[in-house]
Amino acid sequence: MWYGENQALFDVNVKFQKNKVTALIGPSGCGKSTLIRCLNRMNDIIDVCRVEGEILFNGRDINRKDADVVLVRKKIGMVFQKPNPFPKSIYENVAYGPKIHGERNKKVLDKIVEKSLKDSALWSEVSDRLHDSALGLSGGQQQRLCIARAIAVEPEVILMDEPCSALDPISTSKIEDLINELKKEYTVIIVTHNMQQAARVSDYTGFMYLGKLIEFGKTKQIFENPHDKLTENYITGRFG
Ligand SMILES: Nc1ncnc2c1ncn2[C@@H]1O[C@H](COP(=O)(O)OP(=O)(O)OP(=O)(O)O)[C@@H](O)[C@H]1O
Ligand SMILES: [Mg+2]
């Protein structure tokens, strides 16, 4: 993957496991966000971007010429670092995606909103104020709302780029519990700078450095018995 002349990712070869949480770690600028954005073609919006190779999702390359980008992003949703709800009601934030994809039935939309808010562990806090502005929620609640919004279009994969970095410890712990629940239904890929968080929430961990995926394996192995010296140096805090 290139930004113009600059190669940002080199020969990354990885299989993300279904219904597992995979954490991507590595020092700033190593390509974590670049990689995660490749996975639902978010890099398309950057003009100078060029990707080579294959990204297979359910056996088909998401970059193939006739791929439906809207469908790719529906099936592979994304949650960003800073909570970014729309300036609309809580209800409308969650119903937005399904509406865009053609759902008009109010009862069906109500059900989707309820399920998505329950799945994102927000329902009990907002069920009595669904039509209030989403901007009135706390940061942690807004981030769970963004997760509800991602879930509402029934994705198979949820990408999260440092979803807790703008949150306090209590909200962070709620999101971590939530990630644990989410993997029953979804495949989660999360970028995090927080080693403890990676160790707590993920089943698999990939360590990246200078655009390369240096090591990938079960989280326990990566943290307790890294095979690569670079991985060991990073997780023990010797650089980065
Ligand atoms: N839009 C862009 N245009 C050009 N180069 C970019 C762009 N986005 C990222 N890069 C470059 O690609 C490399 C990887 O950046 P990326 O944002 O993927 O790193 P990261 O691992 O997510 O870092 P951080 O932990 O700081 O978020 C960096 O050298 C960066 O400068
Ligand atoms: Mg990043």
Side-chain angles (χ1 to χ4, degrees):
M1 138 89 216
W2 284 258
Y3 293 108
E5 298 292 297
N6 295 328
Q7 189 165 358
L9 296 176
F10 300 81
D11 300 325
V12 172
N13 187 3
V14 56
K15 266 189 186 172
F16 294 105
Q17 303 291 325
K18 201 177 163 111
N19 293 101
K20 299 286 180 203
V21 178
T22 299
L24 294 173
I25 59 170
S28 184
C30 70
K32 304 178 296 297
S33 297
T34 299
L35 176 59
I36 210 173
R37 286 199 306 259
C38 282
L39 302 180
N40 72 345
R41 293 189 53 174
M42 283 302 277
N43 286 328
D44 282 20
I45 56 178
I46 303 170
D47 277 349
V48 294
C49 252
R50 184 164 62 82
V51 179
E52 279 183 11
E54 284 183 324
I55 301 172
L56 299 176
F57 174 61
N58 292 335
R60 305 197 69 194
D61 189 357
I62 63 167
N63 288 314
R64 71 185 185 278
K65 279 209 176 62
D66 64 345
D68 178 345
V69 185
V70 175
L71 187 65
V72 166
R73 299 209 184 113
K74 177 175 188 283
K75 287 287 155 198
I76 308 175
M78 189 142 188
V79 175
F80 298 87
Q81 181 168 4
K82 271 195 15 210
N84 57 351
F86 304 129
K88 292 171 180 282
S89 70
I90 294 167
Y91 183 99
E92 285 303 325
N93 264 273
V94 184
Y96 183 85
K99 280 187 179 172
I100 292 278
H101 290 287
E103 187 55 66
R104 289 278 170 271
N105 185 315
K106 170 89 171 67
K107 279 207 177 108
V108 174
L109 287 170
D110 286 353
K111 277 222 173 83
I112 294 173
V113 169
E114 180 171 342
K115 178 180 188 303
S116 306
L117 288 170
K118 280 183 173 161
D119 280 1
S120 67
L122 190 57
W123 178 252
S124 64
E125 290 162 61
V126 301
S127 60
D128 58 347
R129 50 167 168 152
L130 293 178
H131 299 286
D132 289 1
S133 170
L135 303 181
L137 297 173
S138 74
Q141 289 173 328
Q142 288 188 8
Q143 194 61 310
R144 278 179 283 147
L145 180 65
C146 292
I147 294 172
R149 186 174 64 185
I151 291 172
V153 294
E154 299 184 323
E156 290 178 42
V157 181
I158 304 175
L159 309 173
M160 299 182 170
D161 196 347
E162 300 185 48
C164 301
S165 64
L167 306 181
D168 67 85
I170 292 173
S171 304
T172 296
S173 130
K174 281 192 184 162
I175 303 266
E176 288 183 6
D177 291 346
L178 172 57
I179 290 171
N180 214 10
E181 283 298 309
L182 288 174
K183 72 178 179 188
K184 292 178 188 154
E185 261 184 272
Y186 313 93
T187 300
V188 179
I189 303 171
I190 176 175
V191 169
T192 177
H193 273 282
N194 181 327
M195 297 299 120
Q196 287 80 18
Q197 179 168 73
R200 278 193 301 266
V201 303
S202 70
D203 303 290
Y204 292 85
T205 296
F207 168 64
M208 295 182 70
Y209 186 60
L210 299 178
K212 294 188 177 136
L213 183 66
I214 303 292
E215 186 166 353
F216 184 87
K218 289 225 164 98
T219 295
K220 197 171 154 56
Q221 178 255 309
I222 296 284
F223 281 92
E224 290 176 12
N225 181 26
H227 298 328
D228 195 288
K229 195 78 193 149
L230 283 169
T231 315
E232 185 183 329
N233 286 347
Y234 184 71
I235 59 174
T236 54
R238 256 167 265 167
F239 72 91

